[in-house]
Amino acid sequence: MKSKIVLLFLLILILFAHTNPGKTLAVQEKPQVILLFVEGMSFADLEKLKSLPLVDKWISQAGAAALSLRTPGPRTAANGYLLMGSGGQALYTERSGTAYHSAEIFSPRETAGERMQELGGYRAHDLARSAILFPGIFRLHEDNRDKPYTARLGLLGTTLAAHKIRIASYGNGDFEETRQRQAVLFAMDQEGRVPAGDVSEANSLSVRGYPYGVKTNTAYLLDRIRADRSSGVIAVQLSDLSRLYQLGPDMEPGQFARQYQRVQNDLAQFLDQLLAERRANQMIMLVSPAVNSVAAKDKALLSPLLLWSDQSSGLLTSATTRQNGLVSGLDVLPTVLTWLDVPVPKGLTGHSIYRTEGDLSQLLSQVEQIHHTYATRPSVLYTYVMLQIVTVGCAALLWMWGRRREGVGLSRVRRGVRLALLALLWFPALLLLEAALDWKVHGSLILGVLIMAALAIAFWQENQSLAKITLGVSAVTVAVVCLDGWTGATLMRQSFLGYDPVIGARFYGLGNEYEGVIIGGTVMLVASLYQLYRERTRVLPVAGLALPGGSLLVCAVVLYYMVAPNLGTDAGGFLAGLIGLFVAFARLHDLRIGKKGLLLLTGGLVLGVIGLMATSLLSDQPLTHVGRVSQQILAGEWGEVGQMIERKLAMNVRLIRVSIWSKVFAVSLIALGVLSLKNDRFLRHLAQDTPYLVKGFAGVIAGSLAGLALNDSGIVTAATCISFLIVPALYAALEEPEQKRCST
């Protein structure tokens, strides 16, 4: 009897141990993600929202980040929804329309379900019974076919359906006769359906004084969210702010301010109630799919993203951006799936968002700096590039028609152009160092300061030999770029010549502009060392091992920086630099690049590519573009690899056609042709005075052309690289106008 009592007692203990009544019911529930899409919200709106006492504490507890949305079309909310819901680029067209309930009137003669069957045929019979339909899905698929990107429309909804997780969509942006249910683009599957939710007029109230007389029914939304415990993902479209900004230009300023305050108060009350009831298994994300027209006009295009989960407050980041306080729209889908413990589909470029150190005030300051750089960049860079084109063009013309003429006036013009050329060569380094200055001034003032600094250095250097000038510029430029890269690339991220988080083409590593700079600078650094060695010793530099060994060490350090996954992460730049430096060393050592040389170069490139693939796959760092391509090759996904190559070629061709850098490259090639072929063929004579510098020019040309071929923005690399050839050559060409060269 006693043994039975003991056994019963043990069973009770085991039962209690497994049920653990000390835990709440919420822990046993399935995880859930609530996405609040506040259309039209910018960081200026977020700052004003935070000033309201009702939500100040909640915003302070959130993880915060700026969201970069790089869409293939305009920066609209629809394209933002598609980007986040498909985990990649996709384009929305107005002809695709919007979403409806199956029984909702689509036209005077048919419902949305009937239209779905009309458009989709037998495929749409089952689709028409879904809670929410997007009849334009067939049009959308067609519009995204045969594009330079691979559109995976409805990837989120399809993935969740495959794992039997329901997704629901609530809210709309309807006004007057216009239906606007764009959040469905985020929640739908590849067939254009959402299994649950409500996008009908029940989500809004008719209230006088609000924009278009429409106000979001937040009480209804709260009730639906509370009741919906079976959906793994709930997408909520909040459009009051967007409607207000849409009607804003027609409103009296005082009325706009009053309405703005009401909309902000309504949003604050909604957030306060929702967040106060947040369960432990819930992740709530507030995100704006596109900023309002006022922010867009001011070029403040980064959207705010706030995240409430079981982690403490801080800044958000991801392996996509590797920058604290910055995430990509591509990261939203992986973050949602990770929270739900669903495997992330292969081929996505985004990564799950996580928290890091920092606070909202730090983020606001960072975003202000990014927006200032983005707004100022066109005026600074366009003027710099135009100055480069004009200076190179004037120098070439002056050499052609003024090299045999003399006079005080012409001598002054010649000196002024030479100083301008030398100043241009210092600009890449100065543009990088300028990013260290914490100032937010007009672009003309920044450019003026840079021009004065560059001219001051040019005045100091003008009496030095060409080899010393080239060595000084190249050494400082390469050192600044590498040191910044090894210390976190903080200057690169903020430089006018660096990459742009707003555009979202690159977030870390070595950008295409400085890729060309570091290739050209390294080649000419080595060539200058060889030239100075010859000038001082009057013997060939190949006589010893110190100079070749030291030069190879410098090149190895630069190439490692360019290719390392945690530094430059620039595979195309690494291969282009390898080609340029190989050609330079071959010329510096008078080695003929015959069949054996070409075979050696080809073998080196093959080994380099294999090394890149192996390093990327074996590295503990998140996969880069090279890593993803390597995986696709190993998996035999040649179609994806082909589309990637096609996409890069299309991007390069487009940039060659429209980019101002293509004009720089074209003018540089024309000037190079003039120096090489016109009458006395100046470069042939320059090779007699500075043979090793001219031999280095061959490496610059090879690196420039390789960069053009191996990068999707190769024209930028080619233009910035070739400046280390054409500027020193023109500078030397204008040095001795009185010498009479014979035409040989």
Side-chain angles (χ1 to χ4, degrees), residues 333-350:
L333 190 149
T335 303
V336 171
L337 296 181
T338 300
W339 181 264
L340 299 174
D341 199 23
V342 173
V344 177
K346 294 182 179 180
L348 293 184
T349 56

Side-chain angles (χ1 to χ4, degrees), residues 26 120 132 141 144 174 211 222 248 274 306-307 317 322 336 339 352 379 399 419 423 463 489 544 582 624 706 725:
I132 301 172
H141 278 295
N144 283 276
D174 295 355
L222 282 169
L274 181 63
L306 300 177
L307 188 68
T317 186
R322 303 187 191 181
V336 171
W339 181 264
S352 183
S379 61
W399 179 78
L419 287 172
N463 293 324
F582 176 85
T624 60
L725 182 165

Side-chain angles (χ1 to χ4, degrees), residues 374-444:
Y374 176 74
T376 313
R377 176 176 277 110
S379 61
V380 173
L381 275 192
Y382 184 81
T383 306
Y384 159 61
V385 172
M386 288 304 300
L387 284 174
Q388 187 172 349
I389 292 173
V390 171
T391 303
V392 170
C394 288
L397 293 174
L398 186 61
W399 179 78
M400 287 177 62
W401 285 290
R403 65 187 185 281
R404 298 183 185 276
R405 301 177 184 178
E406 299 182 7
V408 177
L410 187 61
S411 177
R412 290 176 179 174
V413 171
R414 188 179 291 111
R415 184 192 179 200
V417 173
R418 293 181 76 234
L419 287 172
L421 285 168
L422 187 51
L424 283 177
L425 209 55
W426 280 98
F427 249 80
L430 292 176
L431 281 169
L432 191 62
L433 292 171
E434 181 276 334
L437 301 176
D438 187 18
W439 60 347
K440 298 179 180 65
V441 295
H442 195 271
S444 58

Side-chain angles (χ1 to χ4, degrees), residues 444-461:
S444 58
L445 178 59
I446 295 173
L447 194 64
V449 171
L450 291 175
I451 290 174
M452 294 300 294
L455 286 175
I457 300 174
F459 274 112
W460 171 66
Q461 274 196 313

Side-chain angles (χ1 to χ4, degrees), residues 22 158 675:
T158 302
L675 292 177

